[in-house]
């Protein structure tokens, strides 16, 4: 009898955690929901989900993805940073979405995250994310693009699934998944899109109506 009651309690906690997690995931950006006269945004919904069931990996990762880098929250009885929440989620289930957010939060030049006792650099987080993602995952394009940004344009090499990729290959993989990236100039090594405008010199300006729109001088013939 006692065992069945404990089992029922765990089922209720799991159900509550899933409901809170789904509720937070469905809220639009800056959206809120009122539950029992209390207003919750997405981050607060994920906190409720983790508190209901700290073993639900996706709730930890969702919470971390919604938190600003410099912010911390009290969850599961402890004060935790964004990175710590993502590390907790990925430690419980390394296949959930979260590697990209974890890598994005790390600074360049030696910063590391620790997942299940193993240290990961920014580049390794993106590599791990690509290894665990499915081919049709919508998160693949930004993972490839961010991985390209971590590489040196001429010497850096990333390893995904035991295959090495150069900077250019990572960029091309991102474009294959999301062709819209071809229209952007936000990849490392690409100049911003050029714009054109008419340029008037001070000499042309001084001439006022004696120049045309291209700045060329208009020579007027004198009347005899």
């Amino acid at each position: 009898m006692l065992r069945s009651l404990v089992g029922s309690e765990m089922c209720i906690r799991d159900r509550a955690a899933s409901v809170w997690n789904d509720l937070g995931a469905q809220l639009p950006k800056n959206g809120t929901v009122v539950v029992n006269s209390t207003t919750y945004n997405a981050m607060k919904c994920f906190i409720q989900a983790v508190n209901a069931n700290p073993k639900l990996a996706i709730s930890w990762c969702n919470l971390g993805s919604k938190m600003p880098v410099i912010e911390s929250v009290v969850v599961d009885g402890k004060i935790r940073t964004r990175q710590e929440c993502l590390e907790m989620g990925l430690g419980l289930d390394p296949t959930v979405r979260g590697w990209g957010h974890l890598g994005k939060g790390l600074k360049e030049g030696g910063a590391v995250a620790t997942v299940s006792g193993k240290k990961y650099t920014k580049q390794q987080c993106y590599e791990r994310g690509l290894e665990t993602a499915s081919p049709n995952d919508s998160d693949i394009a930004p993972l490839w693009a961010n991985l390209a940004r971590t590489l040196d344009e001429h010497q850096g090499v990333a390893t995904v699934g035991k295959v090495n990729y150069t900077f250019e290959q990572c960029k091309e993989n991102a474009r294959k998944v999301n062709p819209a990236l071809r229209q952007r100039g936000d990849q490392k090594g690409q100049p911003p899109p050029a714009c054109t405008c008419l340029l008037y010199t001070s000499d042309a300006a001084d001439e006022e109506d004696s120049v045309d729109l291209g700045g060329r001088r208009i020579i007027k013939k004198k009347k005899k």
Side-chain angles (χ1 to χ4, degrees), residues 13-25 42-67 73 75 80 82 84-90 92-93 96-98:
R13 289 182 61 191
D14 290 346
R15 178 61 179 163
S18 296
V19 170
W20 278 112
N21 182 76
D22 292 344
L23 185 59
M43 191 170 78
K44 289 182 179 179
C45 287
F46 295 135
I47 290 174
Q48 292 295 319
V50 171
N51 287 337
N53 182 8
K55 299 296 184 182
L56 192 61
I58 188 64
S59 296
W60 280 107
C61 289
N62 283 338
L63 174 57
S65 68
K66 289 293 182 182
M67 290 174 59
V73 296
V75 59
R80 300 180 192 270
R82 177 183 190 272
E84 288 171 335
C85 289
L86 291 166
E87 289 172 343
M88 285 291 296
L90 292 167
L92 291 167
D93 183 358
V96 298
R97 295 182 182 183

Side-chain angles (χ1 to χ4, degrees), residues 11-193:
C11 289
I12 293 172
R13 289 182 61 191
D14 290 346
R15 178 61 179 163
S18 296
V19 170
W20 278 112
N21 182 76
D22 292 344
L23 185 59
Q26 291 172 11
L27 284 177
K29 186 177 181 180
N30 300 323
T32 59
V33 63
V34 178
V35 179
N36 294 332
S37 302
T38 302
T39 301
Y40 296 87
N41 59 16
M43 191 170 78
K44 289 182 179 179
C45 287
F46 295 135
I47 290 174
Q48 292 295 319
V50 171
N51 287 337
N53 182 8
K55 299 296 184 182
L56 192 61
I58 188 64
S59 296
W60 280 107
C61 289
N62 283 338
L63 174 57
S65 68
K66 289 293 182 182
M67 290 174 59
V69 175
I70 60 174
E71 190 170 323
S72 59
V73 296
V74 178
V75 59
D76 192 27
K78 294 182 180 180
I79 299 175
R80 300 180 192 270
T81 63
R82 177 183 190 272
Q83 180 173 327
E84 288 171 335
C85 289
L86 291 166
E87 289 172 343
M88 285 291 296
L90 292 167
L92 291 167
D93 183 358
T95 65
V96 298
R97 295 182 182 183
W99 287 105
H101 291 292
L102 184 58
K104 195 172 182 179
L106 292 176
K107 295 181 179 179
E108 297 280 3
V112 295
T114 304
V115 177
S116 298
K118 184 177 180 180
K119 296 186 182 299
Y120 293 86
T121 64
K122 191 181 191 74
Q123 178 177 327
Q124 289 170 332
C125 286
Y126 294 136
E127 292 171 343
R128 190 77 176 98
L130 287 164
E131 289 171 349
T132 58
S134 64
N136 298 322
D137 197 322
S138 60
D139 284 347
I140 281 185
L143 281 172
W144 279 116
N146 287 330
L147 181 57
R149 293 188 183 101
T150 66
L151 301 177
D152 180 88
E153 187 169 352
H154 303 291
Q155 298 178 353
V157 174
T159 303
V160 179
K162 298 183 179 180
V163 178
N164 291 335
Y165 294 89
T166 64
F167 165 72
E168 287 296 338
Q169 289 172 326
C170 289
K171 285 202 304 181
E172 187 56 32
N173 285 339
R175 292 165 177 167
K176 285 179 181 178
V177 179
N178 184 2
L181 291 176
R182 293 183 183 277
Q183 308 301 323
R184 301 179 185 172
D186 60 355
Q187 303 299 316
K188 183 178 178 181
Q190 289 185 339

Side-chain angles (χ1 to χ4, degrees), residues 220-224:
K220 297 180 180 180
K221 295 183 179 179
K222 294 182 179 180
K223 294 181 180 180
K224 294 182 179 179

